[in-house]
Each structure stands twice: as C-alpha cells, then as structure tokens.
Amino acid sequence: MGLGCMGMSQSYGPADEAESIATLHRAIELGCTFLDTAEVYGPFTNEDLLGRALAGKRDQVMIATKFGFNFEGGKSHGTNSRPEHIREAIDASLKRLRTDHIDLLYQHRVDRHVPIEDVAGTVSDLVKQGKVRFFGLSEASVTNIRRAHAVHPVSALQSEYSLWERNLERDVIPVLHELKIGLVPFSPLGRGFLTGEVKRAEEYPEDDFRRNDPRYQGANYDANVKAAQAVRDIALGLHATPGQIALAWLLHKGDHVVPIPGTKRRKYLEENVAAAAITLDDAKMKALDDALAPEKISGPRYNEKMMGLIDR
Ligand SMILES: NC(=O)c1ccc[n+]([C@@H]2O[C@H](COP(=O)([O-])OP(=O)(O)OC[C@H]3O[C@@H](n4cnc5c(N)ncnc54)[C@H](OP(=O)(O)O)[C@@H]3O)[C@@H](O)[C@H]2O)c1
C-alpha cells in the first residue's frame, strides 16, 4: 500500500501542514513508503512539501512523481510532453523534492501532440543519466502503453481503478499482465465515496473536486450510495471499515496492484494501511464485484473537459 499525497495540497478541503508532515513520517514508520506526488499538485507545492518533510529520510522512501502539463499564472494549462519541457520539468521536480533522483516518473497525461516514443526516449535518457529509476504512464491507452513499452520498459500504469470504477478491466489489465507492468490504482477510495463518509456534491466547498464529480451529483449520488451498501455490509461483518474493504478488494486483485489511498491525516493513514491484513474470500470478492458492477454505478468519473484529457 502506498500513500497518495495530492490532498495535502489540493482537491479535498484545507490541509494542515504539520499534520500532513506528521502523516508522511507516520507512513514511513508503518512501512508505507511508496509516496505519490506530481508537479501539478498545488501546482508545485506538493513536491516542495515532500522535499521538506523527507529531509534526512530520502533513502527510506520511493518517490513517484509526474510531469506533462504547461503552467500559466500558477495554474496548469494543457498537456506538454515535449522532450525539452520534460527535461526542464524533471530538473525542477528534483529541486523541489530536494533529491538527485526520482524513483518512478510518470507521464501524467498522454500528449496528443507528441509521439509517445519521443516521451519514452526522453525518459530513457533521464534513466541513463541517473535522474530517474523507473518509467510510468497515467491514464494511457493500450496502444500507447504498447508503443511506449517498446522504447523503454514501462514499470507501472497509474490510472483510476476501484470498486466503483472498473473501466480498466476489459482491455487494459490484460495488457498489463501480458507485459508484466504494475498497476497503481489512483482514487482507490472513490475520492472518499467508498469510505461511506460522503456528502452530496453541492455540500462540498467550491474548490473541492467532488463538487464537480458527476458521481456525487443528484440521482447519480443516490444510485451510487445504494450500490455501495454492499461494501458497508461486508465491512460490518468483518469488523472493518468500508474504506478498508475497498482497499482489500484491490489488493486481492493481484500482487502487481499497489493502491495509493490519499489522505492528509494520520488517523486515516493508519486505518488504510491496516487494510492490508484483511482477507476477503471468493464469495465476498464476487459479492463486491457484482454489487458495484459498472451497470450499477451512475455517472462518469470526470466532467467532459477532464475526460477529454484521457487517452482511450
Ligand atoms: N494520476 C492521476 O491522474 C491521479 C488523479 C487523482 C489522484 N491521483 C493520486 O492518487 C492518490 C489517491 O487518490 P485520491 O486522493 O484522489 O482519492 P482517494 O484515495 O480515493 O480518496 C481520498 C479521499 O478519501 C479520504 N479518506 C482517505 N482515507 C480515509 C479513511 N480511512 N476514512 C475516511 N476518509 C478517508 C481523504 O480524506 P482527507 O483528505 O481528509 O484525508 C480524501 O478526501 C492521490 O493522492 C494522488 O496522489 C492521481
């Protein structure tokens, strides 16, 4: 189990910096050392936070970060994976992270204007220079995974995958198995939905991501709460929390699956890490698979603009 750090800088309400840093330190104590960030989180401030929090602890963690956007006026502004831009972005990430190497470097979104071979080639050079150890992609299609992998081995795909978001199952996961690529499911708790501690979209503040997540809106919300009842029922029977069941379900999908639940608090981190000890038998796995099957879940995972960035 890894730790998603995005929420320490954006998306899910205000963060307390001292608690975020304490959460990072507690994660190391618990052996949860696969830390996920990106230049676009903040932007920039999330990498900077990790850099400061990990002073003297760099060799105890695996840092995964991502490149792939332009920035203007402190906001991300379209994709950019041109080779010269990647090289500049990585030097800036290294500086903010206060390290001389990134363990896992992902392209955050496929750039339709830059052939993926050029991206893989550029990262391959960074690997040769010792600035990067492993190469990853995020939300890439099967075609682009194969094309990139032919140039430089892709070690991991980071895409949205959870009990209520199963779009990878038909085409992408079989290819990951075939090419022996790891899967890092992001938003494994459904941005919090699967923990049961959720509200309707309009009850979140203006800058909370979930306000614009169609799955949290109107009739979609009602249908999804109903589907997720199965998670709450199974949790009750196992003296676990619903969020722990959602994470255990992912871990039971195979050794190559490493979820990165996001939190900015020690309490949630400890609960999430403990999910690795939960066993789900075949009957429970099937019950969960069926109860939250795609036809039972309402609403797309992104609004139209953000969906436009997904490579399918
Ligand atoms: N590659 C990409 O495009 C992409 C996109 C999105 C995310 N990510 C990465 O994936 C990571 C995880 O995804 P995510 O953060 O979007 O969603 P997530 O892990 O599904 O859910 C995060 C939300 O769940 C809450 N939460 C966490 N543990 C909880 C618990 N035990 N009980 C109750 N609530 C709990 C968090 O609360 P608090 O915030 O209050 O702690 C936060 O609101 C991110 O941090 C980021 O690193 C990548």
Side-chain angles (χ1 to χ4, degrees):
M1 193 90 73
L3 171 62
C5 302
M6 179 179 78
M8 296 175 184
S9 303
Q10 62 168 66
S11 296
Y12 307 122
D16 174 82
E17 179 165 304
E19 179 61 20
S20 293
I21 292 174
T23 303
L24 287 160
H25 292 171
R26 183 75 182 122
I28 296 172
E29 279 170 14
L30 293 171
C32 175
T33 54
F34 180 47
L35 308 178
D36 191 77
T37 181
E39 68 165 352
V40 76
Y41 299 160
F44 313 125
T45 50
N46 197 245
E47 286 185 335
D48 184 67
L49 175 75
L50 261 70
R52 286 184 283 122
L54 298 175
K57 299 176 191 292
R58 172 65 185 94
D59 58 351
Q60 297 173 50
V61 298
M62 295 276 287
I63 297 178
T65 192
K66 318 181 192 80
F67 65 86
F69 295 105
N70 270 320
F71 296 93
E72 230 177 70
K75 285 198 167 162
S76 68
H77 186 72
T79 53
N80 186 348
S81 282
R82 290 196 319 274
E84 66 276 16
H85 182 76
I86 297 176
R87 287 190 284 270
E88 279 169 21
I90 291 347
D91 283 343
S93 287
L94 287 169
K95 213 164 168 188
R96 284 188 292 272
L97 289 163
R98 293 160 175 77
T99 181
D100 62 357
H101 69 282
I102 290 159
D103 295 294
L104 174 57
L105 179 68
Y106 299 99
Q107 182 193 38
H108 208 148
R109 287 290 181 271
V110 168
D111 185 338
R112 296 198 172 95
H113 306 292
V114 182
I116 198 91
E117 287 80 2
D118 294 359
V119 176
T122 305
V123 176
S124 193
D125 290 342
L126 292 169
V127 171
K128 284 184 202 116
Q129 290 166 29
K131 292 182 179 179
V132 170
R133 294 180 63 208
F134 299 103
F135 174 37
L137 297 172
S138 179
E139 292 290 354
S141 65
V142 163
T143 307
N144 277 317
I145 294 169
R146 286 190 187 284
R147 284 172 53 186
H149 193 70
V151 175
H152 187 92
V154 175
S155 295
L157 177 78
Q158 178 176 135
S159 290
E160 183 164 355
Y161 183 51
S162 66
L163 262 171
W164 79 339
E165 181 44 72
R166 313 270 272 280
N167 78 82
L168 301 180
E169 288 182 349
R170 205 189 61 189
D171 301 326
V172 177
I173 290 179
V175 171
L176 299 183
H177 278 291
E178 178 197 325
L179 301 177
K180 298 198 177 0
I181 295 173
L183 173 60
V184 177
F186 78 69
S187 301
L189 296 168
R191 301 187 184 267
F193 196 94
L194 299 167
T195 69
E197 292 181 31
V198 277
K199 301 182 280 194
R200 292 176 175 278
E202 63 272 20
E203 291 174 42
Y204 287 102
E206 206 57 56
D207 60 349
D208 193 299
F209 181 91
R210 291 165 288 202
R211 228 182 138 87
N212 295 309
D213 184 328
R215 297 167 300 186
Y216 281 75
Q217 295 167 345
N220 292 342
Y221 178 89
D222 296 325
N224 295 336
V225 166
K226 199 169 158 206
Q229 182 61 41
V231 191
R232 298 191 289 279
D233 291 344
I234 288 179
L236 209 59
L238 291 176
H239 306 292
T241 65
Q244 288 178 319
I245 298 303
L247 296 172
W249 177 87
L250 280 168
L251 292 171
H252 281 68
K253 290 287 173 182
D255 286 345
H256 65 295
V257 180
V258 184
I260 46 167
T263 183
K264 45 188 177 287
R265 320 163 196 275
R266 282 168 289 182
K267 178 176 177 277
Y268 289 169
L269 166 79
E270 288 170 4
E271 184 185 312
N272 297 343
V273 168
I278 293 172
T279 302
L280 296 174
D281 61 23
D282 290 348
K284 289 193 179 61
M285 285 297 283
K286 184 166 181 339
L288 290 165
D289 279 341
D290 293 348
L292 289 94
E295 64 275 13
K296 309 254 174 65
I297 300 301
S298 291
R301 62 202 179 97
Y302 281 128
N303 62 26
E304 247 171 66
K305 185 171 171 231
M306 289 189 79
M307 203 55 117
L309 289 177
I310 303 292
D311 176 40
R312 287 286 177 269

